[in-house]
């Protein structure tokens, strides 16, 4: 890896993020009665997209927002402009990473047209709530305003076609509810809430989140590791893997995910228990196996849409062997235009020959020409990989990410030498189950918690 | 505008705002939440498996209420916190941590480090009044909504927005 490339400044990045930060500041105070400073920030956003197809629409929206006469479409236009700026930041960072890891450029895949969508009245209700949020600002939120999301989320959740929106709105609303009243908040997660707001608002446009399955693939899937995302009432596990097509084509980087809504008291090992029955790949990951896929659907972004019927267990496969032999030659899919955002950057990499050090309580790897911060907080608690194991490691398969102005490495697995033998520890080792003592205890506690909730639900829910 | 003055946390797309719930045993108190300006939840009856108590304490005033899911007032909650409300405070502290409960209810325990006991003591010392039980139906329906999450089917198509919600080793 050309680590030096990751520490070089990216041209235009600071200027673009300054425009974004200024607009995000506007959302802190709200757009009900914008003052001169806010008007300047909104105008700055419009100026920044002046050379693009968005120019006219955003300039109009900025004018009406500043006059306190904004309609819902105007808020959508501003969210689109902000997303375009962060999309350009994404592209610049992704290009830099491709250069640093020496990976072939992303494959161009024609995007299929999004299918027709149901539930447009719910999308309209979501949009109305989001526009109310923009008017009140984060400092103006209260319980009544935030509670407006609940009926929309409840109505969306059972419809798989609206699950993506529901899950985002649910997580966002829960954070806002925990932060009410906004007037007394010590600090505001400025970029994060602006991100969630603008993403949610763009997803209220019908067609923005349709199924985009493009193809079906047959061949061998070699897992690299598992990334887990969760908020109080949802969890998603994504297996990052190298796919070897049976027809002898170039290997591809793919992901396979499974997600579920959940009660907030289901945590830790309980998350694996919810997901495990719906994706046999989690079991294969724990066993260190490959899987043979037969006509598995895949999206243009390289996400397998998993179906247990189309997969069977294959030969044992070691993630480090896969990474050493295949990772640099594997091609990645391109992110869909609307989805481009730095938060989407998660590039599988293999790092070896580093020294580890701890600085202000944070772990870092020193490589030739580069110090990369290690985000050990993202490693799931229900797994054997600990910050201590990472600190003692000599090789790491991880996801290269970017947040708040810096590149970060999220470890998926590490190798360490214990009594002259090389031992690998995987963050997702417990995904398919475990015999580890602490793991078994966590599984038992989670089983009991869900049993209580199911008993209560059986007795009270259908009365 | 303060541009450039944003802290790293403020510039982070994945800043952690709330920590995940700490695991706890759910048999006695299957549901606890800090919502609608109250600590509220559902406490299983010790004697009748078909009965639950819906209990709540309001932030700031600590006005309390406790009644069954069939809307009968709890006999223990006439002039003071009943055992259901005490259990609710205890489990809320387990789930969210004492700090967050204290902050949400606006309780300032005299001896610094709050715990369930000191929070309860600080609230009862203000001689809170019995609040109206109108919220009970709403709390109970939120509990049912919470249980309904278990009935929703998992999916295997990608949810790209979950990238904004990385898992964390921190607990409440
Ligand atoms: Zn009671």
């Amino acid at each position: 890896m050309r680590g030096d490339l990751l520490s070089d400044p990216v041209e235009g990045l600071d200027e673009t993020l300054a425009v974004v930060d200024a607009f995000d500041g506007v959302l802190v105070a709200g757009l009900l009665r914008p003052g001169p400073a806010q008007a300047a920030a909104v105008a700055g956003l419009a100026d920044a997209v002046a050379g693009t197809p968005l120019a006219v629409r955003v300039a109009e929206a900025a004018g009406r927002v500043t006059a306190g006469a904004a309609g819902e479409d105007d808020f959508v236009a501003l969210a689109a402009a902000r997303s375009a700026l962060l999309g350009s930041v994404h592209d610049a960072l992704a290009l830099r990473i491709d250069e640093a890891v020496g990976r072939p450029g992303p494959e161009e895949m024609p995007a299929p047209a999004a299918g027709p969508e149901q539930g447009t009245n719910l999308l309209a209700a979501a949009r109305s709530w989001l526009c109310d949020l923009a008017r009140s600002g984060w400092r103006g939120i209260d319980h009544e305003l935030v509670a407006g999301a609940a009926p929309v989320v409840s109505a969306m959740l059972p419809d798989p076609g609206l699950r993506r929106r529901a899950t985002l709105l649910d997580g966002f609303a829960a954070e806002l509810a925990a932060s009410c009243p906004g007037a007394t908040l010590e600090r505001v997660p400025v970029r994060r809430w602006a991100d969630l707001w603008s993403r949610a608002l763009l997803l209220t446009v019908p067609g923005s989140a349709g199924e985009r399955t493009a193809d079906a693939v047959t061949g061998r899937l070699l897992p690299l590791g598992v990334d887990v995302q969760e908020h109080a009432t949802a969890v998603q596990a994504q297996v990052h893997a190298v796919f070897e097509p049976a027809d002898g084509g170039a290997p591809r980087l793919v992901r396979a995910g499974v997600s579920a809504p959940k009660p907030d008291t289901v945590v830790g090992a309980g998350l694996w228990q919810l997901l495990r029955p719906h994706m046999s790949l989690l079991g294969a990951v724990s066993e260190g196996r490959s899987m043979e896929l037969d006509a598995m659907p895949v999206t243009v972004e390289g996400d397998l849409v998993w179906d247990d019927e189309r997969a069977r267990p294959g030969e044992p496969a070691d993630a480090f062997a896969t990474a050493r032999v295949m990772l640099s030659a594997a091609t990645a899919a391109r992110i869909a235009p609307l989805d481009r955002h730095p938060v989407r950057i998660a590039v599988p990499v293999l790092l070896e020959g580093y020294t580890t050090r701890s600085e202000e309580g944070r772990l870092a790897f020193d490589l030739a020409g580069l110090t990369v911060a290690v985000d050990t907080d993202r490693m799931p608690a229900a797994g054997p990989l600990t910050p201590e194991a990472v600190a003692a490691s000599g090789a790491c398969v991880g996801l290269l990410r970017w947040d708040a102005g810096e590149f970060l490495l999220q470890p998926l697995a590490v190798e360490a030498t214990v009594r002259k033998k090389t031992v690998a520890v995987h963050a997702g080792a417990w995904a398919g189950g475990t015999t580890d003592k602490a793991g078994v205890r966590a599984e038992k506690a989670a089983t009991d918690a869900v049993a209580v909730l199911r008993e209560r639900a059986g007795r009270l829910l259908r009365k | 505008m303060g541009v450039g003055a944003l802290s790293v946390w403020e510039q982070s797309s994945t800043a952690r705002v709330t920590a995940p719930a700490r695991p706890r045993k759910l048999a006695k108190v299957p549901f606890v939440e800090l919502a609608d300006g109250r600590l509220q939840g559902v406490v299983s009856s010790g004697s009748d498996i078909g009965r639950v108590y819906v209990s709540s304490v309001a932030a700031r005033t600590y006005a309390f209420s406790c009644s069954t899911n069939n809307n009968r007032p709890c006999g223990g909650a006439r002039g003071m916190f009943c055992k259901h409300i005490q259990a609710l405070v205890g489990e809320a502290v387990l789930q969210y941590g004492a700090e967050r409960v204290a902050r949400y209810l606006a309780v300032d325990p005299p001896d610094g480090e709050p715990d369930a006991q000191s929070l309860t003591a600080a609230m009862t010392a203000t001689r809170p009044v019995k609040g109206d039980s109108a919220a009970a139906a709403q709390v109970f329906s939120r509990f049912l909504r919470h249980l309904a999450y278990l009935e929703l089917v998992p999916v295997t198509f990608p949810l790209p927005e979950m990238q904004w919600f990385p898992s964390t080793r921190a607990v409440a």
Side-chain angles (χ1 to χ4, degrees), chain A residues 154 170 192 195 403 456, chain B residues 12-13 49 145 149 164-165:
Chain A
S154 290
D170 206 10
R192 174 177 177 75
D195 276 354
D403 187 42
R456 294 284 82 184
Chain B
S12 169
S13 288
I49 51 167
R145 177 179 187 263
Y149 274 81
W164 269 279
F165 300 93

Side-chain angles (χ1 to χ4, degrees), chain B residues 66 74 82 84:
Chain B
C66 186
C74 165
C82 60
H84 308 116

Side-chain angles (χ1 to χ4, degrees), chain A residues 217-223 241-254 281 288-296 304 306 310-318 321-322 325-326:
Chain A
V217 291
T218 298
R220 188 162 67 138
L221 189 68
L222 300 153
V242 174
F243 173 73
E244 255 187 328
D247 64 11
R252 296 168 61 177
L253 281 175
V254 296
L281 179 59
R289 274 184 191 285
S290 65
M291 291 200 88
E292 299 293 334
L293 309 186
D294 181 16
M296 186 71 78
L304 301 173
W306 194 263
R310 298 175 184 278
R312 58 184 173 80
E315 295 295 307
D318 170 49
T322 300
V325 176
M326 308 189 69

Side-chain angles (χ1 to χ4, degrees), chain B residues 53-55 65-67 74-77 81-85:
Chain B
Y53 289 86
V54 181
S55 316
S65 111
C66 186
S67 55
C74 165
F81 286 5
C82 60
K83 62 179 180 181
H84 308 116
I85 291 173

Side-chain angles (χ1 to χ4, degrees), chain A residues 106-121:
Chain A
E107 4 168 1
E108 276 296 352
M109 293 255 281
E117 289 196 276
Q118 313 289 315
T120 44
N121 56 333

Side-chain angles (χ1 to χ4, degrees), chain A residues 61 64-65 67-72 74-75 135:
Chain A
R64 275 198 288 271
V65 164
E72 293 188 351
D74 297 316
F75 289 123
R135 292 187 189 98

